[in-house]
Amino acid sequence: MSEAGAAGVPAVVTWAAEVLDGAQQTAVPVRATQAWPELTLEDAYATQASLLARRHARGEKAVGLKLGFTSEAKMRQMGVDELIVGQLTDVMQVADGGVLSLDALIHPRIEPEVAFLVGSDVDLADPDVDLEGAISGVAAGLEIIDSRYDGFRFDLPRVVADNTSAARFVLGAWRALDEVDLDDRAVTMCRGDEVVASGTTAAILGHPLHTLPRLAALGRRFGLQLPAGSVVLAGAATEAVALEPGRVSAQVDGVGQVHLVAVTTAGDEGSEL
Ligand code: OOG
Ligand code: MG
């Protein structure tokens, strides 16, 4: 890690967390080109932890973890080629079918997700942990990402520090994992009636369950936790698209569907409502 400041935390970590937290709260992006060129990946995860500690101190509750860049489509779109993990809180969750105001977001994008429900406590510090064995449910999801960097431009350490662009998420109804076949199922995202992204669950590391050992390894390396009841987003199978006012839905064949309605206070809900 970089040079340590007070309490052994590198000064750049505290500074980056404060700046990214402020950018999220004010919806004013940070210039990626000026954002801490010395930040290492270790520093970036420490920054993410510091950022989340600030949010938890404001009363937000940890509700799960999200993976990023588990599909070629996402890696290609963003120019990053390593799997990353970010953290979800209760205030990020929008009810299925709920209304999401875009006013507090910078340049939101939306992507379809496969979500898992962790049914029993797992100790990610245990190198032999069976995370798949602890999964009790699966659902279709939507993730709204909103990079706190200008132009949605970043590299690996910067997107990790920014909590992997996490902004909001929506979950469809849970299905029991053993009732669902996740192998090569169609994933479709629609804006109104128009299909805006389509892919397959096979795009997610070959099969969405393949993300779980990778998540366990990242969780162990960076000290993350996944108590019973946690949500896991396995990563988008398709590219993300710009989120504009209107209805957006995602469907994962054989699993279910989920939707939200995006609005601005100007009252422009789009024509699809
Ligand atoms: C980073 C988040 C990536 C996914 O599903 O791959 C992610 C970004 O694209 O800004 O959530
Ligand atoms: Mg995602």
Side-chain angles (χ1 to χ4, degrees):
M1 290 224 256
S2 310
E3 206 173 310
V9 176
V12 66
V13 164
T14 314
W15 172 233
E18 188 179 326
V19 170
L20 288 166
D21 196 31
Q24 184 256 316
Q25 290 185 284
T26 56
V28 177
V30 180
R31 283 210 194 146
T33 48
Q34 294 179 347
W36 328 290
E38 70 276 32
L39 203 75
T40 65
L41 189 61
E42 300 289 324
D43 289 338
Y45 275 103
T47 302
Q48 185 189 114
S50 172
L51 181 68
L52 268 292
R54 297 173 69 98
R55 295 183 69 141
H56 294 156
R58 290 197 293 269
E60 297 186 35
K61 304 272 178 290
V63 295
L65 299 175
K66 56 155 287 191
L67 285 162
F69 306 130
T70 53
S71 71
E72 280 288 325
K74 283 290 304 183
M75 289 193 274
R76 217 178 316 111
Q77 182 179 29
M78 304 317 297
V80 175
D81 61 4
E82 216 176 292
L83 219 120
I84 56 175
V85 59
Q87 303 179 50
L88 303 172
T89 76
D90 57 346
V91 308
M92 299 180 190
Q93 185 161 7
V94 178
D96 187 12
V99 173
L100 169 62
S101 168
L102 301 181
D103 294 342
L105 302 173
I106 302 168
H107 40 205
R109 296 179 181 178
I110 190 162
E111 56 192 22
E113 295 271 346
V114 172
F116 292 117
L117 179 64
V118 180
S120 51
D121 284 337
V122 284
D123 179 9
L124 293 183
D126 172 3
D128 299 319
V129 70
D130 176 16
L131 183 49
E132 182 177 337
I135 299 298
S136 59
V138 58
L142 281 164
E143 187 186 12
I144 294 83
I145 50 174
D146 192 35
S147 174
R148 268 58 63 166
Y149 300 110
D150 210 20
F152 233 105
R153 275 191 303 275
F154 46 68
D155 60 6
L156 187 69
R158 261 142 293 273
V159 67
V160 165
D162 184 27
N163 195 25
T164 69
S165 309
R168 301 285 189 280
F169 67 97
V170 195
L171 300 173
W174 293 114
R175 302 275 310 273
L177 185 60
D178 54 13
E179 281 172 14
V180 169
D181 178 8
L182 283 175
D183 194 26
D184 199 11
R185 307 310 297 254
V187 176
T188 316
M189 186 167 68
C190 294
R191 187 187 284 139
D193 294 330
E194 180 201 354
V195 175
V196 289
S198 60
T200 154
T201 55
I204 305 166
L205 295 184
H207 190 294
L209 288 172
H210 295 171
T211 59
L212 297 174
R214 302 289 299 275
L215 174 60
L218 279 168
R220 184 158 61 249
R221 179 166 166 203
F222 296 110
L224 301 171
Q225 269 151 33
L226 216 44
S230 295
V231 173
V232 171
L233 298 183
T238 74
E239 290 191 357
V241 305
L243 178 57
E244 285 151 15
R247 183 185 198 275
V248 180
S249 59
Q251 172 156 352
V252 182
D253 237 24
V255 176
Q257 50 200 359
V258 56
H259 79 276
L260 63 68
V261 179
V263 299
T264 60
T265 42
D268 175 15
E269 305 90 6
S271 51
E272 296 95 355
L273 264 183

